[in-house]
Amino acid sequence: MNRRFLPKSMHGQMLLSVALALLAAQLLSGILLYRAEQRRIESTLISQLAFQLVRDPQIDLRGENPRSGRRAERRRLRLERVLESPQLRGDMRDPEREAALREVLQEQGVEVAQLVVLSRPFSRDRYLMRRMREAPDLYRETFDSDGMVVLAGLKRANADRWMVARAPLRSRSVRAFRGVIFQTLILYAVLVGGLALLLRRISRPLAALTARVERFGGIADTGEPMKLSGPEDTRRLIAAHNAMEARIANLLDEKNVMLGAIGHDLKTPLAALRVRIESVEDDTERAKMARTIEDITDTLDDILSLARVGRSSDPLERTDISALVASVVEEYEDMGEDVALGETVRVALPVRATWLRRAIRNLIGNALRYGSQARIGLRRDETHAIIRIADTGPGIPEGEIAAMLEPFTRGESSRNRETGGAGLGLTLARAIAEQHGGSLALANRIGADGSIAGLVAEIRLPL
Amino acid sequence: MSESPVRLLLVDDEASLREPLADYLSRQGFVVQQAADAAKARSALLEDMPDLVLLDIMMPGEDGISLCRHLVESRNLPVIFLTAKGESTDRIVGLEIGADDYVVKPFEPRELVARIRSVLRRTAKGAVAGPAAASEAHYEFDGWQLDPLKRRLVDPEGTVVPISSAEFRLLVALLDHPQQVMDRDRLLDMVQGREAHLFDRAVDNQVSRLRRKIEVDSRDPKLIQTVWGGGYILAAEVKRFTPEVN
């Protein structure tokens, strides 16, 4: 069975199952109705035949009352009286009807010697054809000239002739079905339509909630709590969600306040320390101390930024990415570092420039730390702007690339204090790329001789 | 200013930073007065007017921003913020209320000294005639807009084009003298900022960087043109306007 055509939503599945259940119920009642109708037709047929046979077998009304003869003739079908059984070759006897008719006749006190019930097409019944020519109106009313006729031949005990009664065999009535179909349609309109409305009432707030939860992901600041709507269950769910959202927002706020306080409380003593080391006479010693303080500050900034990146309140601004990349590269040029800006294209994207600048800085800083040289480029493909930072360092063993993006991981070859940094740089760069809906990818650059010639970091930002 | 020593007022609630910093600045030849909070700073101001105030932003009681507003508006004193935050929003708030510069803790003491001297040089050069009022007005040239407070350059399509502080000062110097030939010495003099030691060897370099960002084709510059043997000239017409505050 092909599942693609089955509805996936709650809405669709419920509607489909209700529609199927309704269809089954209506089919069942249709069948029951049909069978009741069949029985009714059958018993009418039997009574018709019995009535004709029982009523007055001996007297021909026509002969007795010549004046009203025509009217009488109009009112009833005349019995045929024959010497032989009415069964012709090719006629099928109908034992069920025979039994039913026999029962009715015996109840009426008729002594049955022989009884045959059979059906044949109207056109094959010579008696009827003859009578039809005599009184076409009467017969045309009663019989369908394309239909079937049921004949009942009765030979009473001690009678010498057969009496043959005739009744039309009614084609199966579709009238009853028309009723069922009409009823089904109304039920469908009322039930399925009503249900659709009701389900919409449930599923609309659910869809809104889903969208909200998806949006909530990183940025908690969705403003107003969600409006309660839908039936009670849905309202309770929304209320619970709102409460949870508020709790998360509170936690994040607390975290931000706490981090701000940590930042302030650590930076002031660091600043004091930085001032105090100016009294150190030894220049190299002082420079080392200054470098250490700088490292602590950088790490602290990375930690604070990483904690804040998901909840940045900075607005997105359409920014010339090539100018942004160039300005970061220029900072490093001015510091006398070996950086070079290669090919760039003009791309303008809505970004948080302060953050993106930080991500690029981290990647260039990383490249310079491990590779002493950074080559920066900006290109674009159909879907992304790609900022590429390549170095000439030792690269990363293939298996460790994913781990490098996790917090506090640094390459094996560099696990010493001299290289500085707590390994948050790449994590932060990735978090910033993701904050912009993009990604950060690291890959080894393979040189001409097949060995690793350096590392390439690429920030991909969706256009 | 070489005759009498420069007097500084240092306002910071953290004694652990304030005291060694005051010592350091004294050793550099400044006369330093200390205040632990805004109230003490206000009373110190009544006794003696400093040449410049170093002001911490986060302080218990009245904060640095509020005190700065008072200092700039009623005393017309130059202010340098000492801040623990590095967020760009703080920077803008600080500069909007008229602080002349800021350093982020932990700062390099020598850099602080360089900035103190740079701010004093700027204010001594007669920039006292309300630099704040003039610097708030935006520049407009050839469809571009520059907000001097936020250092925000926007191209004719509304895209922000990030520029460095050196590029910003160069651009402002050119925008203040449109269609005038600016020789390298004059430009250097006008744009010297805290990166002065980097900048003086590279006016040409900064010009070419700026061209890369704002010229359609940096090899065939239309806005910033080179005058042979002279210097540079901004070819566009410049308008100043004060944006509506919403």
Side-chain angles (χ1 to χ4, degrees):
Chain A
M1 190 161 150
N2 198 336
R3 287 178 162 271
R4 259 186 310 176
F5 297 113
L6 288 178
K8 291 207 170 51
S9 67
M10 180 180 81
H11 199 246
Q13 284 181 354
M14 275 190 75
L15 277 184
L16 182 68
S17 52
V18 167
L20 285 178
L22 201 58
L23 191 67
Q26 290 301 99
L27 270 177
L28 208 66
S29 72
I31 290 168
L32 289 176
L33 264 171
Y34 174 76
R35 283 172 51 175
E37 178 75 4
Q38 276 302 100
R39 267 200 303 278
R40 196 182 60 77
I41 289 173
E42 203 56 33
S43 70
T44 310
L45 180 74
I46 298 297
S47 344
Q48 247 180 327
L49 291 171
F51 184 68
Q52 285 180 44
L53 291 172
V54 169
R55 200 186 36 176
D56 194 357
Q58 303 301 330
I59 304 158
D60 187 343
L61 279 174
R62 206 167 39 156
E64 215 162 74
N65 193 351
R67 278 183 304 164
S68 60
R70 281 190 72 83
R71 275 178 64 203
E73 196 178 29
R74 274 187 178 279
R75 261 189 274 123
R76 63 193 176 89
L77 298 167
R78 272 181 55 193
L79 287 177
E80 187 193 13
R81 287 162 208 280
V82 286
L83 287 168
E84 300 293 319
S85 160
Q87 186 172 14
L88 303 174
R89 196 181 294 154
D91 283 346
M92 286 286 290
R93 279 180 68 168
D94 195 333
E96 270 178 43
R97 284 179 184 144
E98 253 166 46
L101 185 58
R102 188 186 300 271
E103 203 181 309
V104 174
L105 290 173
Q106 276 165 353
E107 267 172 28
Q108 297 295 319
V110 175
E111 288 167 49
V112 179
Q114 273 180 294
L115 182 68
V116 288
V117 176
L118 40 91
S119 49
R120 67 169 66 125
F122 181 86
S123 49
R124 277 191 57 209
D125 195 80
R126 254 187 258 151
Y127 174 77
L128 271 180
M129 296 295 277
R130 202 175 63 231
R131 297 293 306 227
M132 173 114 141
R133 278 194 294 277
E134 288 167 12
D137 295 346
L138 175 64
Y139 285 89
R140 206 167 282 148
E141 267 171 35
T142 318
F143 291 97
D144 179 1
S145 55
D146 298 325
M148 298 286 285
V149 181
V150 179
L151 291 89
L154 169 69
K155 192 174 185 198
R156 295 193 182 217
N158 61 50
D160 53 348
R161 292 194 178 199
W162 290 75
M163 289 184 296
V164 183
R166 289 176 166 78
L169 184 61
R170 299 249 175 244
S171 58
R172 292 167 188 178
S173 166
V174 287
R175 283 242 297 283
F177 275 110
R178 230 182 276 154
V180 171
I181 289 167
F182 187 61
Q183 193 189 20
T184 308
L185 287 180
I186 290 198
L187 272 174
Y188 262 63
V190 171
L191 248 176
V192 178
L195 194 65
L197 284 178
L198 185 71
L199 282 173
R200 228 163 80 99
R201 221 171 102 73
I202 300 174
S203 61
R204 264 238 298 262
L206 279 183
L209 186 63
T210 309
R212 172 111 173 180
V213 172
E214 279 167 355
R215 253 202 335 270
F216 188 74
I219 302 132
D221 239 14
T222 29
E224 295 276 297
M226 235 181 118
K227 251 202 210 102
L228 302 186
S229 62
E232 186 58 31
D233 312 59
T234 322
R235 282 169 184 269
R236 287 220 307 270
L237 177 62
I238 295 172
H241 171 83
N242 282 344
M244 184 194 70
E245 219 175 74
R247 274 199 306 278
I248 293 176
N250 273 341
L251 281 174
L252 291 176
D253 283 344
E254 268 170 38
K255 185 193 74 175
N256 280 356
V257 169
M258 192 186 74
L259 284 170
I262 290 176
H264 181 261
D265 288 0
L266 286 178
K267 279 182 182 175
T268 304
L270 279 173
L273 198 57
R274 185 66 191 79
V275 173
R276 282 179 192 278
I277 63 168
E278 288 301 319
S279 54
V280 173
E281 298 290 328
D282 186 339
D283 279 354
T284 38
E285 198 57 32
R286 190 178 57 235
K288 275 184 189 167
M289 288 174 167
R291 180 69 202 268
T292 305
I293 292 172
E294 230 169 78
D295 284 347
I296 299 174
T297 313
D298 286 349
T299 305
L300 195 57
D301 280 341
D302 277 350
I303 294 173
L304 295 180
S305 302
L306 194 60
R308 239 182 308 224
V309 69
R311 243 175 102 74
S312 174
S313 53
D314 296 355
L316 289 167
E317 263 187 330
R318 201 172 169 74
T319 306
D320 183 340
I321 305 295
S322 52
L324 185 119
V325 172
S327 65
V328 179
V329 174
E330 285 158 12
E331 282 171 26
Y332 283 93
E333 272 174 16
D334 289 345
M335 286 188 273
E337 300 281 4
D338 186 1
V339 288
L341 185 60
E343 286 280 297
T344 62
V345 288
R346 278 233 164 126
V347 194
L349 288 179
V351 297
R352 297 185 174 89
T354 331
W355 289 98
L356 188 56
R357 202 189 285 267
R358 175 154 206 136
I360 300 168
R361 241 181 236 150
N362 281 2
L363 294 177
I364 295 180
N366 220 54
L368 293 174
R369 186 175 300 144
Y370 298 114
S372 80
Q373 193 188 60
R375 297 284 170 268
I376 296 95
L378 173 66
R379 67 177 199 278
R380 62 182 290 177
D381 59 19
E382 292 90 54
T383 52
H384 289 84
I386 302 151
I387 304 167
R388 176 193 160 100
I389 293 110
D391 66 33
T392 52
I396 301 174
E398 285 296 331
E400 286 179 28
I401 288 186
M404 287 300 295
L405 294 170
E406 297 304 321
F408 300 105
T409 308
R410 264 189 293 151
E412 193 62 46
S413 53
S414 61
R415 208 161 276 166
N416 55 64
R417 267 310 323 162
E418 266 174 298
T419 49
L424 269 178
L426 286 176
T427 313
L428 184 59
R430 182 178 68 167
I432 292 170
E434 284 169 3
Q435 181 201 34
H436 286 90
S439 62
L440 170 67
L442 299 179
N444 286 317
R445 201 157 52 85
I446 307 299
D449 59 349
S451 63
I452 293 174
L455 186 71
V456 178
E458 285 189 343
I459 297 181
R460 298 172 67 85
L461 299 172
L463 291 177
Chain B
M1 57 187 172
S2 51
E3 306 89 42
S4 61
V6 174
R7 285 162 305 160
L8 302 176
L9 175 60
L10 173 57
V11 189
D12 195 318
D13 59 310
E14 292 286 341
S16 64
L17 171 64
R18 192 181 65 234
E19 281 159 10
L21 183 57
D23 288 347
Y24 174 81
L25 291 172
S26 310
R27 273 191 314 244
Q28 301 299 313
F30 297 102
V31 173
V32 187
Q33 201 182 357
Q34 301 180 38
D37 56 39
K40 293 201 178 76
R42 281 173 189 267
S43 55
L45 286 170
L46 294 176
E47 289 165 20
D48 190 16
M49 276 293 270
D51 298 305
L52 185 144
V53 181
L54 298 171
L55 193 51
D56 183 27
I57 292 185
M58 286 235 283
M59 287 188 297
E62 186 186 357
D63 69 8
I65 290 175
S66 155
L67 181 59
C68 174
R69 203 168 277 138
H70 167 75
L71 294 174
V72 173
E73 279 168 12
S74 58
R75 304 295 178 114
N76 204 10
L77 276 172
V79 173
I80 295 178
F81 271 131
L82 313 176
T83 170
K85 302 187 196 171
E87 298 289 287
S88 55
T89 42
D90 296 328
R91 181 179 317 173
I92 291 160
V93 167
L95 296 176
E96 262 171 7
I97 60 170
D100 295 85
D101 211 342
Y102 66 94
V103 288
V104 178
K105 292 177 187 175
F107 45 84
E108 209 178 310
R110 286 158 205 225
E111 194 190 331
L112 177 61
V113 171
R115 298 228 194 153
I116 291 170
R117 295 202 196 285
S118 159
V119 168
L120 288 173
R121 201 164 41 235
R122 280 213 300 269
T123 45
K125 272 185 184 168
V128 187
S135 68
E136 263 169 42
H138 290 198
Y139 296 87
E140 192 184 307
F141 62 102
D142 200 38
W144 291 71
Q145 286 189 17
L146 177 68
D147 175 351
L149 223 48
K150 295 181 181 165
R151 304 191 166 182
R152 192 165 172 273
L153 180 64
V154 178
D155 79 3
E157 279 102 55
T159 301
V160 176
V161 178
I163 51 173
S164 69
S165 6
E167 285 161 356
F168 166 77
R169 284 192 297 269
L170 173 68
L171 186 57
V172 168
L174 290 167
L175 289 172
D176 280 337
H177 305 88
Q179 289 149 336
Q180 291 174 34
V181 177
M182 303 289 283
D183 63 43
R184 285 181 182 75
D185 288 343
R186 193 158 168 223
L187 275 178
L188 187 59
D189 196 37
M190 297 182 76
V191 302
Q192 256 178 353
R194 50 180 132 121
E195 298 94 342
H197 56 291
L198 305 167
F199 192 71
D200 47 30
R201 59 180 150 90
V203 172
D204 297 334
N205 190 16
Q206 293 298 347
V207 168
S208 77
R209 284 177 177 180
L210 191 54
R211 276 177 177 162
R212 259 209 309 249
K213 289 172 187 169
I214 69 173
E215 298 283 0
V216 178
D217 178 1
S218 57
R219 275 158 299 185
D220 179 24
K222 296 273 186 276
L223 282 169
I224 304 173
Q225 295 176 357
T226 308
V227 180
W228 289 110
Y232 298 97
I233 181 167
L234 183 81
E237 225 172 272
V238 178
K239 271 183 277 185
R240 303 287 307 258
F241 69 98
T242 312
E244 283 166 40
V245 182
N246 25 322

